[in-house]
Amino acid sequence: TLIRVVVAGAYGRMGREVLKTVWQAEDMVLVGAVDVRGEGQDVGPLWGAPEVGVTLQGELDKVLAETRPDVMVDFTTPDVVAENIKTALHHGVRPVVGTTGMSSRELEEIRALAGELKLGCVIAPNFAIGAVLMIRFAAEAARYLPHVEIIELHHDQKLDAPSGTAIKTAEVVAAARGDFRQGLPTEVEKIPGARGGSFDGGIRIHSVRLPGLVAHQEVIFGGLGQTLSIRHDSISRESFMPGVLLAIRRVMHLEGVVYGLENLLFE
Amino acid sequence: TLIRVVVAGAYGRMGREVLKTVWQAEDMVLVGAVDVRGEGQDVGPLWGAPEVGVTLQGELDKVLAETRPDVMVDFTTPDVVAENIKTALHHGVRPVVGTTGMSSRELEEIRALAGELKLGCVIAPNFAIGAVLMIRFAAEAARYLPHVEIIELHHDQKLDAPSGTAIKTAEVVAAARGDFRQGLPTEVEKIPGARGGSFDGGIRIHSVRLPGLVAHQEVIFGGLGQTLSIRHDSISRESFMPGVLLAIRRVMHLEGVVYGLENLLFE
Amino acid sequence: TLIRVVVAGAYGRMGREVLKTVWQAEDMVLVGAVDVRGEGQDVGPLWGAPEVGVTLQGELDKVLAETRPDVMVDFTTPDVVAENIKTALHHGVRPVVGTTGMSSRELEEIRALAGELKLGCVIAPNFAIGAVLMIRFAAEAARYLPHVEIIELHHDQKLDAPSGTAIKTAEVVAAARGDFRQGLPTEVEKIPGARGGSFDGGIRIHSVRLPGLVAHQEVIFGGLGQTLSIRHDSISRESFMPGVLLAIRRVMHLEGVVYGLENLLFE
Amino acid sequence: TLIRVVVAGAYGRMGREVLKTVWQAEDMVLVGAVDVRGEGQDVGPLWGAPEVGVTLQGELDKVLAETRPDVMVDFTTPDVVAENIKTALHHGVRPVVGTTGMSSRELEEIRALAGELKLGCVIAPNFAIGAVLMIRFAAEAARYLPHVEIIELHHDQKLDAPSGTAIKTAEVVAAARGDFRQGLPTEVEKIPGARGGSFDGGIRIHSVRLPGLVAHQEVIFGGLGQTLSIRHDSISRESFMPGVLLAIRRVMHLEGVVYGLENLLFE
């Protein structure tokens, strides 16, 4: 039987990508789309397709009651996401959530509610399977090849450096290799900053910003006579869709909250 | 207490590298070196050092009896390796073996003997930790990103293609992803061979041969909007030494044979 | 003064990109858009913008007469492009043409006409500046590092291999290095095709096809103890726009036909 | 006829590499070897070969008088190199010099002397053809794709950052692109140094230091929808030999001093 899916935040850029992806998945059926924008429009044109017979509606509660879905995918905003999740759970609908910014208190309430109702719920700040694998492999490699540097490369409109993914990677690497410390104290920078940003234990992070790049990261491990490099290149929002599909399929068999795609991949 | 090590096949190129590595390891002491070549020479000059007081000797049995080592590292030849291992085990010495080419019957006898004597023994066709990690990560990634191609790059004196490591990688990837099949049947090669060699399930392997290269491999996984690449670059025999050191340390706490460095890394 | 531009083939995917690019260029003004599709529509929405006051029209001749542009950019189809170019030249308008597929006879007629009228005309099969630079550098490098292999990587919907750019690169490399021949005659393929497709003089071309890739190529030169790699990554049609802008600006100062962007870059 | 070559500084690491290279070159003959170290030894064993009948001698003047070479290759030290060059020129011998550290006054004297004697002389701080090509291509690319960042990667025993080659590259790029300025003023570093060292016009240089690396550099150019990368990987002193051979062959046809390998490659 097909998995019935409602998308919340359907009008946004991620929402449209999810609509299209669910529509094309052979084991799913798109039964509803919720957004405060575009009410009454057919959703097909949102991803460049003809009309598909599903229209945008404003009230999540009403859509869930009428369409009785199995899963709600939420890519909305920090101010409404927690409420959306609770609404879904009360309807017996399993949430798959990519919206970030929930408070730890909200997260605790959701954990309690999902556990009590014995319903699955997946919340993930990053649905790109490739990025999650990269971080996972980096943690494993660091146990055997503890010397590591990180190069992340993004389009030149990204203003902050380093990227969140680079910092997350450095955190798991630092944890995996314990109190290892790399780099010689006698190193000299002839141009300040040449050696990059220094994270715990001397892990260096280098941030490149150029037009023509999208979102890329390379983690390089060095050992005697060899290097091991793990690189993720993401070129579009599509890169999150395999992770979303995986979560929709897996949430059907879960009880309670799973936080982080990595905990679905490597349980 | 220090681990006492004898090196068999000490005069060869890998043997010299092991001599140097054991000599420099703070938790080990080099107590003997065996080879039919160079008998009577001090081993220091073999790795460009001054004399170190250990001389090459021709008879393994005699050296083991006199020096009573904990571990024998063997980088000899297929015709003598099995006998060397049995000799070591009978002396209560744990073998760490990089020599390839043993028959499965010889391997069975050694498994039985090591088990009976409750002595550790590590046999590994590839001691490069980076390569072992690459293959391991490739197998994990293939479960989630099943589209994969392999590019291996070696110096232009390597006559066979693809490399053993590339084939091994393709084997573990094919096993991990099951009966997945990649590639469109309507593909057309305008120049025969452009799409590389085809392994099970359509995994393509590309072999580059150029001067200036040593031994490199990249495994590229493709998914919606993203790629994940795992690359190993090896530039010298030194790249095997961390794996040898790890095996020497771990074999002290093993009982029976462990085959393949991966089974030491991810037990 | 601003360069007045008309776009022919404006409704197509490349045409829309050119409309947007010309619209945003500070030294240009978009004065007309021609296509048999979408007649009467404002062009703004074609690239996701609000209306801009330029509407699609069906007849090139009429648009050129009314708008009196300096330059016509043509991304139409092989069956109409030659006629379009002649029409433009007769109106005193300089053509910048990305449409491929003209016959050599058509090209000769256009060369003659542009020369006679003393009008510039740029025709280029590839407007991606990065790709043109890559090919140019490959030709130069091959004179000093003649051992070379080419790896091209494209999305898995591309059915032919190798790519046109890879073949073009191999051609210029082969020409630059003369009768050099690489590769050992004793090489053995354990899997047929592993060593790639063989071009003149033993240049090997390897074609990778994976989802998540767009259009990429790496040219690797090997010499004693070193390699030199030149890589171009293209992720969108936008990559052609800097070349189109350059051609629009330069065509104003030309007389006669320049064929190939490389002849604008390195005259 | 063969080119007769003497090597000065023959006992050093670069000198030995040159001895071996000249010995193997089919169009050259090694006629003498000069060094204050190892006097009287046959030079063959210096590169792991049997004796070749050429012995190390201490006095350059005497060796030049006796062997009457065409070319002297000098990899000595800053304190003797200028004197060696003058001695060679007075013997009618053309110098090919890789030793760095000459004063500009010494260089002027040598220019004058070589010009007067109508003898060729090549002096080059970097004989790696691949590196010279990389820098040359970077300068050309910067004219069309002015956004650029440099990543250089070296073994972790290199204490200074960035490398001389990276700084040289940034200099030629900055010169080629004029007063272009890249980078947004609103960029924020969450970890200081993450964006690398800043060179003229906002060119960022990132220095990676890891075991297992040797000497590598990548120059990345970004434009709309594309990147162009030029990378040089050097793994041994051998990488300088093709440049040395080229200089020996070319110096025979020169008059006066050519400074920098690039001026031999692209005259």
Side-chain angles (χ1 to χ4, degrees):
Chain A
T1 67
L2 301 174
I3 307 174
R4 300 169 60 82
V5 180
V6 157
V7 179
Y11 195 87
R13 289 196 291 192
M14 281 297 293
R16 291 169 193 221
E17 201 67 43
V18 175
L19 287 173
K20 174 184 169 191
T21 301
V22 169
W23 181 259
Q24 294 174 346
E26 295 185 358
D27 56 343
M28 300 180 192
V29 55
L30 179 68
V31 298
V34 180
D35 206 297
V36 291
R37 297 162 292 182
E39 221 174 319
Q41 290 184 24
D42 187 281
V43 296
L46 289 183
W47 73 84
E51 303 209 340
V52 298
V54 176
T55 54
L56 280 163
Q57 299 191 51
E59 285 181 48
L60 177 63
D61 193 64
K62 187 157 159 257
V63 172
L64 296 179
E66 288 173 6
T67 63
R68 314 202 64 77
D70 300 300
V71 175
M72 171 194 74
V73 179
D74 187 291
F75 279 94
T76 57
T77 51
D79 53 319
V80 301
V81 58
E83 207 52 48
N84 283 358
I85 294 172
K86 290 182 211 163
T87 303
L89 289 170
H90 284 303
H91 278 275
V93 176
R94 298 151 193 89
V96 167
V97 182
T99 316
T100 53
M102 252 182 293
S103 70
S104 53
R105 184 174 156 184
E106 287 171 327
L107 194 53
E108 275 322 295
E109 289 173 12
I110 289 163
R111 279 188 195 281
L113 183 61
E116 186 188 315
L117 297 172
K118 295 185 193 297
L119 278 170
C121 174
V122 174
I123 303 173
N126 189 346
F127 271 107
I129 282 182
V132 171
L133 288 169
M134 172 177 61
I135 292 171
R136 154 87 165 192
F137 297 160
E140 279 195 56
R143 292 171 54 204
Y144 304 102
L145 293 168
H147 291 86
V148 56
E149 302 208 5
I150 299 169
I151 304 171
E152 57 94 345
L153 311 94
H154 283 82
H155 55 88
D156 63 348
Q157 301 306 306
K158 181 170 175 61
L159 295 177
D160 58 313
S163 69
T165 299
I167 290 172
K168 171 80 176 171
T169 306
E171 284 170 357
V172 304
V173 164
R177 68 182 197 174
D179 57 0
F180 182 84
R181 189 156 184 90
Q182 76 186 71
L184 298 180
T186 45
E187 274 189 10
V188 176
E189 280 183 341
K190 290 186 291 182
I191 301 179
R195 286 287 287 118
S198 188
F199 196 81
D200 289 357
I203 300 173
R204 300 289 175 147
I205 307 180
H206 310 271
S207 300
V208 176
R209 297 287 177 270
L210 285 171
L213 293 171
V214 185
H216 318 260
Q217 182 174 301
E218 186 160 2
V219 189
I220 311 178
F221 295 88
L224 264 183
Q226 70 192 306
T227 54
L228 177 70
S229 306
I230 304 170
R231 180 177 176 118
H232 184 242
D233 294 275
S234 172
I235 54 163
S236 73
R237 254 166 245 118
E238 282 189 326
S239 65
F240 299 105
M241 293 307 111
V244 171
L245 287 177
L246 180 85
I248 293 173
R249 288 171 189 137
R250 299 287 289 280
V251 79
M252 297 295 293
H253 309 290
L254 296 174
E255 282 191 13
V257 170
V258 170
Y259 188 90
L261 191 63
E262 61 274 24
N263 294 308
L264 276 190
L265 297 181
F266 318 107
E267 77 287 36
Chain B
T1 66
L2 302 174
I3 307 175
R4 300 169 59 82
V5 180
V6 157
V7 179
Y11 195 87
R13 290 196 291 192
M14 281 298 293
R16 292 169 193 220
E17 201 67 43
V18 176
L19 287 173
K20 176 185 168 191
T21 301
V22 169
W23 181 260
Q24 294 173 348
E26 295 185 358
D27 56 342
M28 300 179 192
V29 55
L30 178 69
V31 297
V34 180
D35 206 296
V36 292
R37 297 163 291 182
E39 219 173 321
Q41 289 184 24
D42 188 281
V43 296
L46 290 183
W47 73 84
E51 303 207 343
V52 297
V54 176
T55 55
L56 281 163
Q57 300 193 48
E59 286 182 45
L60 176 64
D61 192 65
K62 189 158 160 254
V63 171
L64 296 180
E66 288 173 7
T67 63
R68 313 202 65 76
D70 300 300
V71 175
M72 171 194 74
V73 179
D74 186 292
F75 280 94
T76 56
T77 52
D79 53 320
V80 301
V81 59
E83 206 53 47
N84 282 359
I85 295 172
K86 289 182 213 166
T87 301
L89 290 170
H90 284 304
H91 278 275
V93 177
R94 297 150 195 88
V96 167
V97 181
T99 316
T100 53
M102 251 182 293
S103 70
S104 53
R105 185 174 156 185
E106 288 172 327
L107 195 53
E108 275 322 295
E109 288 174 13
I110 290 163
R111 279 190 196 280
L113 183 60
E116 187 188 315
L117 297 172
K118 295 187 193 297
L119 279 171
C121 175
V122 174
I123 303 175
N126 189 345
F127 271 108
I129 282 182
V132 171
L133 289 169
M134 172 178 60
I135 292 171
R136 154 88 166 193
F137 296 160
E140 278 194 58
R143 292 172 54 202
Y144 303 102
L145 293 168
H147 292 85
V148 56
E149 301 209 7
I150 299 169
I151 303 171
E152 56 94 345
L153 311 94
H154 283 82
H155 55 88
D156 63 348
Q157 300 306 305
K158 180 171 175 59
L159 295 177
D160 59 314
S163 69
T165 299
I167 291 172
K168 171 81 176 170
T169 307
E171 283 170 357
V172 304
V173 164
R177 69 185 197 172
D179 57 0
F180 182 84
R181 192 159 182 87
Q182 77 185 71
L184 298 180
T186 46
E187 275 190 10
V188 176
E189 279 184 342
K190 291 186 291 181
I191 300 179
R195 285 288 285 116
S198 187
F199 196 81
D200 289 358
I203 300 172
R204 300 287 175 149
I205 307 180
H206 310 271
S207 299
V208 176
R209 297 287 176 271
L210 285 171
L213 295 170
V214 185
H216 319 261
Q217 181 174 301
E218 186 159 4
V219 189
I220 312 178
F221 295 87
L224 265 183
Q226 70 193 307
T227 55
L228 178 70
S229 306
I230 305 170
R231 180 177 175 118
H232 183 243
D233 294 274
S234 172
I235 53 163
S236 73
R237 255 167 243 113
E238 282 189 328
S239 64
F240 299 105
M241 293 307 110
V244 171
L245 288 177
L246 181 85
I248 293 173
R249 287 170 189 138
R250 298 288 288 280
V251 78
M252 297 296 292
H253 308 290
L254 296 174
E255 282 190 12
V257 170
V258 169
Y259 188 90
L261 191 63
E262 61 274 25
N263 293 306
L264 276 191
L265 296 181
F266 318 107
E267 76 286 39
Chain C
T1 66
L2 300 175
I3 306 175
R4 299 170 59 83
V5 180
V6 157
V7 179
Y11 195 87
R13 290 195 292 191
M14 281 298 293
R16 292 170 192 220
E17 201 68 42
V18 176
L19 288 173
K20 175 184 169 192
T21 301
V22 169
W23 182 259
Q24 294 173 347
E26 295 185 357
D27 56 344
M28 299 179 193
V29 55
L30 179 68
V31 297
V34 180
D35 206 297
V36 292
R37 298 163 289 183
E39 221 173 318
Q41 289 185 26
D42 188 281
V43 297
L46 289 183
W47 72 84
E51 302 209 342
V52 297
V54 176
T55 54
L56 281 163
Q57 300 193 49
E59 286 182 46
L60 176 63
D61 193 67
K62 188 160 160 251
V63 172
L64 296 180
E66 288 174 7
T67 63
R68 313 202 65 76
D70 300 301
V71 175
M72 171 194 75
V73 179
D74 188 291
F75 280 94
T76 57
T77 51
D79 53 320
V80 301
V81 59
E83 207 52 48
N84 284 358
I85 295 173
K86 290 182 212 167
T87 301
L89 290 170
H90 284 304
H91 278 275
V93 176
R94 298 151 195 87
V96 167
V97 182
T99 316
T100 54
M102 253 182 291
S103 70
S104 52
R105 186 175 154 184
E106 288 171 328
L107 194 53
E108 276 322 297
E109 289 173 12
I110 290 163
R111 278 189 196 280
L113 184 60
E116 187 187 315
L117 297 171
K118 295 187 193 297
L119 278 170
C121 175
V122 174
I123 303 174
N126 189 345
F127 272 107
I129 282 181
V132 172
L133 289 170
M134 172 178 59
I135 292 171
R136 153 89 164 192
F137 296 161
E140 278 195 57
R143 291 171 55 203
Y144 304 102
L145 295 168
H147 291 86
V148 56
E149 301 208 4
I150 299 169
I151 303 171
E152 56 93 346
L153 311 94
H154 283 82
H155 55 88
D156 62 348
Q157 300 305 307
K158 180 170 176 60
L159 296 177
D160 59 314
S163 68
T165 299
I167 290 172
K168 171 80 175 172
T169 307
E171 284 170 356
V172 304
V173 164
R177 68 184 197 173
D179 57 359
F180 182 83
R181 191 159 182 88
Q182 77 186 69
L184 298 180
T186 46
E187 275 190 9
V188 177
E189 279 184 342
K190 291 187 292 182
I191 300 179
R195 287 287 286 115
S198 187
F199 196 80
D200 288 358
I203 300 173
R204 302 288 176 148
I205 307 179
H206 310 270
S207 299
V208 175
R209 297 289 176 269
L210 285 172
L213 293 170
V214 186
H216 318 261
Q217 181 174 302
E218 186 160 4
V219 189
I220 312 179
F221 295 88
L224 266 182
Q226 70 193 305
T227 55
L228 177 71
S229 307
I230 305 169
R231 181 177 174 117
H232 184 243
D233 295 274
S234 171
I235 54 164
S236 74
R237 256 168 243 115
E238 281 188 328
S239 64
F240 300 105
M241 293 307 110
V244 171
L245 288 177
L246 180 84
I248 293 172
R249 287 168 190 140
R250 299 287 289 280
V251 79
M252 298 295 293
H253 310 290
L254 296 175
E255 281 191 13
V257 170
V258 170
Y259 188 90
L261 191 62
E262 60 275 24
N263 294 306
L264 276 191
L265 297 180
F266 318 106
E267 76 287 39
Chain D
T1 67
L2 302 174
I3 306 176
R4 299 170 60 81
V5 180
V6 157
V7 179
Y11 196 87
R13 290 196 291 191
M14 280 298 292
R16 291 169 193 222
E17 202 67 43
V18 176
L19 287 173
K20 175 184 169 191
T21 301
V22 169
W23 181 259
Q24 294 173 347
E26 295 186 358
D27 56 342
M28 300 180 192
V29 54
L30 178 68
V31 297
V34 180
D35 206 297
V36 292
R37 298 162 291 181
E39 220 173 320
Q41 288 185 25
D42 187 281
V43 296
L46 289 182
W47 72 85
E51 302 207 342
V52 297
V54 175
T55 55
L56 281 163
Q57 300 192 49
E59 285 182 46
L60 176 63
D61 193 65
K62 187 158 161 255
V63 171
L64 296 180
E66 289 174 5
T67 63
R68 314 201 64 76
D70 300 301
V71 175
M72 172 194 74
V73 179
D74 187 291
F75 279 94
T76 58
T77 51
D79 53 321
V80 300
V81 59
E83 206 53 47
N84 283 357
I85 294 173
K86 290 182 212 166
T87 301
L89 290 170
H90 284 303
H91 279 274
V93 176
R94 299 150 193 87
V96 167
V97 181
T99 316
T100 54
M102 253 181 293
S103 71
S104 52
R105 184 173 157 186
E106 288 171 327
L107 195 53
E108 275 322 296
E109 288 173 13
I110 290 163
R111 278 189 197 280
L113 183 59
E116 184 189 316
L117 297 173
K118 296 186 190 300
L119 278 171
C121 175
V122 174
I123 303 174
N126 190 345
F127 271 108
I129 283 182
V132 171
L133 289 169
M134 172 177 61
I135 292 171
R136 154 88 166 192
F137 296 161
E140 279 195 55
R143 293 172 53 203
Y144 304 102
L145 294 167
H147 291 85
V148 55
E149 302 208 5
I150 299 168
I151 304 171
E152 55 94 346
L153 311 94
H154 283 82
H155 55 87
D156 63 347
Q157 300 305 306
K158 180 170 175 60
L159 296 177
D160 58 314
S163 68
T165 299
I167 291 172
K168 171 81 176 169
T169 307
E171 284 170 358
V172 304
V173 164
R177 67 183 199 175
D179 58 0
F180 182 83
R181 187 154 188 91
Q182 77 186 70
L184 298 179
T186 45
E187 275 190 11
V188 177
E189 280 183 340
K190 292 186 291 182
I191 301 180
R195 286 288 284 117
S198 188
F199 196 81
D200 288 358
I203 300 173
R204 300 289 175 149
I205 307 179
H206 310 270
S207 300
V208 176
R209 297 289 176 269
L210 284 171
L213 294 170
V214 186
H216 318 260
Q217 182 174 302
E218 186 159 3
V219 189
I220 311 179
F221 296 87
L224 264 184
Q226 70 194 305
T227 54
L228 177 70
S229 306
I230 304 170
R231 180 176 176 118
H232 184 243
D233 294 275
S234 172
I235 54 164
S236 74
R237 256 167 243 115
E238 282 188 328
S239 64
F240 299 106
M241 293 307 111
V244 170
L245 287 177
L246 181 84
I248 293 173
R249 287 170 190 139
R250 298 288 288 281
V251 79
M252 297 296 293
H253 310 290
L254 297 174
E255 282 190 13
V257 169
V258 170
Y259 189 90
L261 191 61
E262 60 275 23
N263 294 307
L264 276 192
L265 296 181
F266 319 106
E267 77 286 41

